[in-house]
Amino acid sequence: MRTIDPAKMEAKRRHILDAAIDCFSRNGFHGTSTAAICAAAGMSPGNLFHYFPTKASIIEAIAQEDQLATAEIFARWSETDDALTAIEEIVLEFMRLASEPVYARISIEIGAEATRNPDVNALFLANEEKVKGRMVSLIKRGITQGTIDTTLESDLVATWLIALAEGAVGRVVFDRGFDSYVHEPMLRRIVRKTLQP
Amino acid sequence: MRTIDPAKMEAKRRHILDAAIDCFSRNGFHGTSTAAICAAAGMSPGNLFHYFPTKASIIEAIAQEDQLATAEIFARWSETDDALTAIEEIVLEFMRLASEPVYARISIEIGAEATRNPDVNALFLANEEKVKGRMVSLIKRGITQGTIDTTLESDLVATWLIALAEGAVGRVVFDRGFDSYVHEPMLRRIVRKTLQP
């Protein structure tokens, strides 16, 4: 009997996802056929099907990855006592992530697909709600700690902190020579000035 | 001899553009054929060709419109003495524009197309540079007036003011029930706190 090596399975899955993300970021979801993903991953349709039965299941996996990536960023700063510092660092990490060219391009593709495909929309809307919920908790903690303005509505601020970090996506596409590193001090200033009492 | 009525020509052009924008926002640039635009505009391919010889020429017209819309917003506040107030109002107007569902959807389509099509990229990159240039001028004026922090690098701040306003695009798609009106006071706060000395 053949045994299945979970590590090998996972490596293969990862390999397919990377190939698919590369195809999507270059040609869009609609412009990418499963045949193109097979070619990029160097495997047969039957083999691909074993890991991802549909193109939609690949998009689902990308949404899961995105959720994991953002959850990890929050987890990394969850032990920090000062909520304001945690928020500042998290927004910066999100901005760096959004500035990665492949991430930026796939984000735009996801946005375009989400406006037409309710399933894709639901997936990423759920991700965004989780991010917002975690941000709101941190803001409330900062208010309790006295480092964040008590008059702020945490839900409204959270929305704009996310919008700010995601703003890097548009910069990558429409701002020639955008370098996230150069922009870090400015983003820190915006976050601090906005939140502080 | 038939005379051409410029007002009629312009109305027809406007009608085609609206039909095309509607098609693009629903099905994307790639998913929209010129036949679909003809059907939406209720005209023959020959007639459409008379106004817009290619799909690319329609996208060019959309870029021109976008440039006009942003230039008008700046023009509207150019007479305001206080540069800080002008900037605040301009960012708010941009955010309201970006919050319009059709505008938001077409912006995402443009972003997706711009990552693949260098001509489209160049058009909207030029628009963004104009917006940024005008914003930088206002920031410098505010610094001279003493209402904006003299230590700020106008170019870097301008980038994030634009990113903030554009942030509404993502909210429309991924934030259920996003209402730009509710968010205005928060955006005003972010702009003021960021810019003030």
Side-chain angles (χ1 to χ4, degrees):
Chain A
M1 200 183 129
R2 261 177 77 188
T3 55
I4 299 162
D5 179 343
K8 264 194 183 167
M9 280 276 291
E10 183 44 38
K12 195 87 176 202
R13 212 181 107 91
R14 182 68 265 162
H15 173 69
I16 298 167
L17 265 186
D18 287 340
I21 287 171
D22 185 53
C23 291
F24 291 153
S25 75
R26 280 186 292 112
N27 303 309
F29 285 126
H30 283 282
T32 301
S33 60
T34 43
I37 298 170
C38 289
M43 64 201 300
S44 71
N47 204 353
L48 181 88
F49 183 83
H50 184 63
Y51 292 87
F52 296 104
T54 60
K55 211 159 83 173
S57 66
I58 301 182
I59 299 176
E60 259 175 61
I62 294 175
Q64 273 167 9
E65 288 227 317
D66 192 47
Q67 207 253 296
L68 273 176
T70 56
E72 267 172 28
I73 291 175
F74 276 102
R76 200 148 48 234
W77 295 98
S78 66
E79 300 296 310
T80 307
D81 281 339
D82 176 15
L84 179 59
T85 299
I87 292 169
E88 186 182 323
E89 297 301 334
I90 288 166
V91 171
L92 266 282
E93 285 211 41
F94 277 1
M95 192 270 276
R96 282 180 212 121
L97 185 65
S99 303
E100 287 170 16
V102 170
Y103 188 95
R105 292 174 85 145
I106 202 85
S107 295
I108 292 174
E109 284 307 324
I110 287 165
E113 185 69 11
T115 62
R116 284 185 287 278
N117 183 331
D119 293 341
V120 171
N121 190 289
L123 281 170
F124 288 91
L125 209 135
N127 281 6
E128 184 112 349
E129 275 175 6
K130 273 183 200 142
V131 168
K132 201 170 154 183
R134 289 186 180 114
M135 197 65 97
V136 165
S137 300
L138 278 174
I139 293 165
K140 286 184 174 164
R141 188 140 72 82
I143 289 175
T144 309
Q145 291 174 343
T147 51
I148 293 180
D149 192 333
T150 52
T151 65
L152 283 174
E153 279 185 64
S154 52
D155 194 73
L156 297 181
V157 203
T159 296
W160 290 99
L161 293 178
I162 297 166
L164 261 175
E166 275 184 17
V169 167
R171 293 326 100 213
V172 170
V173 180
F174 292 120
D175 198 331
R176 217 188 297 268
F178 175 79
D179 176 351
S180 69
Y181 184 75
V182 172
H183 286 274
E184 291 190 4
M186 183 56 68
L187 204 53
R188 286 186 190 280
R189 177 191 171 99
I190 299 175
V191 174
R192 292 232 157 223
K193 290 265 179 184
T194 299
L195 294 176
Q196 281 171 342
Chain B
M1 199 184 128
R2 262 178 75 190
T3 55
I4 298 163
D5 179 343
K8 263 194 184 166
M9 281 276 291
E10 183 44 40
K12 195 88 178 201
R13 213 182 107 91
R14 181 68 266 163
H15 173 68
I16 298 167
L17 266 186
D18 287 340
I21 288 171
D22 185 52
C23 291
F24 291 152
S25 75
R26 280 186 291 113
N27 303 309
F29 285 125
H30 283 282
T32 301
S33 60
T34 43
I37 297 170
C38 289
M43 64 202 302
S44 71
N47 203 352
L48 181 88
F49 183 84
H50 184 63
Y51 293 88
F52 295 104
T54 60
K55 209 158 85 173
S57 66
I58 301 182
I59 299 176
E60 257 175 64
I62 293 174
Q64 274 167 8
E65 287 227 318
D66 192 46
Q67 207 252 297
L68 273 176
T70 57
E72 267 172 28
I73 291 175
F74 276 103
R76 203 152 40 239
W77 296 98
S78 66
E79 299 297 309
T80 307
D81 281 337
D82 175 16
L84 179 59
T85 298
I87 292 170
E88 188 182 322
E89 297 300 336
I90 287 166
V91 171
L92 266 282
E93 284 210 42
F94 278 0
M95 192 269 276
R96 283 181 211 121
L97 185 65
S99 303
E100 287 171 16
V102 170
Y103 189 95
R105 293 173 83 145
I106 203 85
S107 295
I108 292 175
E109 285 306 325
I110 287 165
E113 184 70 11
T115 63
R116 284 186 286 278
N117 183 331
D119 294 340
V120 171
N121 190 289
L123 281 171
F124 288 90
L125 210 136
N127 281 6
E128 183 113 349
E129 274 173 8
K130 272 184 201 142
V131 168
K132 201 170 155 183
R134 289 187 180 112
M135 196 65 96
V136 164
S137 300
L138 278 174
I139 293 166
K140 286 183 174 163
R141 188 141 71 84
I143 289 175
T144 310
Q145 291 174 342
T147 51
I148 294 180
D149 192 334
T150 53
T151 65
L152 283 174
E153 279 185 65
S154 52
D155 194 72
L156 297 180
V157 203
T159 296
W160 291 101
L161 294 178
I162 296 166
L164 261 176
E166 275 186 17
V169 167
R171 293 327 100 213
V172 170
V173 180
F174 292 121
D175 199 331
R176 217 187 297 267
F178 175 79
D179 176 352
S180 69
Y181 184 75
V182 172
H183 286 274
E184 292 190 3
M186 183 56 68
L187 204 55
R188 286 186 191 279
R189 177 191 171 100
I190 300 174
V191 174
R192 292 233 158 221
K193 290 266 179 184
T194 300
L195 295 176
Q196 280 171 343

